[in-house]
């Protein structure tokens, strides 16, 4: 066998070995993080060979699905309480929970200039519908209700609230025009330092409890090398750059 043939045979063997080691990992991802996880998934697959199978939805709904035996191996929640609860109940791999992002809430309208930089549009009360995510299932929805409470607007907006099952649906109500404005995750309307369409007020963090978003390996991912690799990857610089570009803190 010539030198070139040997080299090609070695390379083929190496690539076959790495493909054999590459695994899929089923990941439950809070809806607010759907754009960043798609970007991270591309890099992760390229860098490790592992592949993410992503489902997005409301954190509270994922909790119920995990308790009912859903096949998820890693959970990226929109809060820190749900993963902590699963950990306490023995549904996670001990010692794997960590905060992968701190979320930012935004009041957003699909119309340019509709939402002012201080959110005075909320107090002006000239809109018919205000969209939020279900506060019982979605941490960003809960944060929205805390903001309204702090601003003394809970009673004023009561008849105007349009509730989405999760933050994606809350944003869709606004983008479709069914609500003039709504509380969304900043990451849904923000990229590389600016709002990508419409107008927004970035809600000051002191108006609601911190949106600490925790990730954890679930019991079903205990023996999956790709699950461990993903959690490690989320702690790295490459993922951090993507996460920050969508307006999250770390």
């Amino acid at each position: 066998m010539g030198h070139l043939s040997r080299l090609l045979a070695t390379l083929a063997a190496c690539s076959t070995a790495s493909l054999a080691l590459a695994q899929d990992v089923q990941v439950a991802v809070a809806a607010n993080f759907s754009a960043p996880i798609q970007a991270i998934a591309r890099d992760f697959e390229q860098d490790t060979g592992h592949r993410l199978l992503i489902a997005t939805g409301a954190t509270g709904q994922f909790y119920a699905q995990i308790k009912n035996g859903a096949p998820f191996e890693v959970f990226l929640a929109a809060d820190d309480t749900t993963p902590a609860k699963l950990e306490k109940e023995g549904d996670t791999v001990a010692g794997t929970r960590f905060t992968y992002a701190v979320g930012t809430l935004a009041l957003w309208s699909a119309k340019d200039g509709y939402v002012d930089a201080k959110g005075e549009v909320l107090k002006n009360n000239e809109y018919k519908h205000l969209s939020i995510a279900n506060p019982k299932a979605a941490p960003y929805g809960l944060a929205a209700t805390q903001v309204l409470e702090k601003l003394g607007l809970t009673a004023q907006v009561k008849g105007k609230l349009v509730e989405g099952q999760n933050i994606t649906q809350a944003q869709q109500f606004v983008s479709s025009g069914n609500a003039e404005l709504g509380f969304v995750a900043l990451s849904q309307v923000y990229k590389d330092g600016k709002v990508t369409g419409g107008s927004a007020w970035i809600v000051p963090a002191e108006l609601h409890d911190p949106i600490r978003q925790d990730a954890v390996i679930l019991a079903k991912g205990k023996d999956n090398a790709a699950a461990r690799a993903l959690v490690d990857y989320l702690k790295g610089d490459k993922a951090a750059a993507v996460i920050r570009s969508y307006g999250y803190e770390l």
Side-chain angles (χ1 to χ4, degrees), residues 4-247:
L4 183 60
S5 306
R6 271 201 303 275
L7 180 64
L8 290 172
T10 307
L11 287 172
C14 288
S15 86
T16 307
S18 67
L19 282 173
L21 293 171
Q23 287 177 271
D24 290 348
V25 53
Q26 302 225 32
V27 194
V29 182
N32 73 85
F33 204 68
S34 60
I37 197 63
Q38 296 294 343
I40 289 167
R42 286 191 292 273
D43 291 340
F44 177 70
E45 196 167 327
Q46 216 168 6
D47 293 345
T48 68
H50 299 306
R51 191 169 60 130
L52 302 192
L53 304 176
I54 299 163
T56 57
T59 292
Q61 288 168 338
F62 277 136
Y63 172 80
Q65 289 169 14
I66 291 161
K67 295 303 287 183
N68 285 320
F72 301 123
E73 296 164 297
V74 176
F75 183 26
L76 273 61
D79 63 7
D80 54 358
T81 52
T82 308
K85 193 176 176 192
L86 286 166
E87 187 177 70
K88 202 174 170 187
E89 290 164 353
D91 297 303
T92 70
V93 176
T96 60
R97 182 166 62 89
F98 74 103
T99 302
Y100 66 93
V102 179
T104 303
L105 190 67
L107 181 71
W108 178 70
S109 172
K111 299 175 200 164
D112 290 335
Y114 190 85
V115 176
D116 58 288
K118 290 184 177 173
E120 293 296 326
V121 64
L122 263 184
K123 295 172 189 166
N124 294 346
N125 202 22
E126 287 168 10
Y127 51 91
K128 290 196 176 83
H129 298 107
L130 172 67
S131 173
I132 68 165
N134 175 357
K136 290 189 177 74
Y140 281 80
L142 178 62
T145 61
Q146 291 171 347
V147 173
L148 293 168
E149 185 70 38
K150 210 149 215 182
L151 296 175
L153 298 173
T154 303
Q156 179 181 296
V157 304
K158 200 172 181 186
K160 301 185 177 208
L161 289 182
V162 184
E163 218 173 84
Q165 282 183 330
N166 54 46
I167 202 72
T168 302
Q169 197 172 45
Q171 187 206 4
Q172 282 164 356
F173 287 149
V174 183
S175 58
S176 65
N178 287 317
E180 296 95 318
L181 71 171
F183 283 103
V184 301
L186 180 62
S187 58
Q188 294 172 294
V189 297
Y190 184 92
K191 187 77 180 74
D192 296 328
K194 58 180 189 291
V195 174
T196 52
S199 51
W201 169 48
I202 297 174
V203 178
E206 62 269 16
L207 290 180
H208 58 80
D209 293 342
I211 307 170
R212 292 174 63 87
Q213 303 196 190
D214 277 10
V216 70
I217 297 177
L218 297 166
K220 281 187 163 63
K222 181 167 64 79
D223 300 320
N224 187 344
R228 186 72 61 170
L230 174 61
V231 163
D232 290 343
Y233 198 83
L234 284 169
K235 295 174 183 174
D237 292 343
K238 206 166 178 181
V242 173
I243 293 167
R244 281 203 182 94
S245 76
Y246 282 93

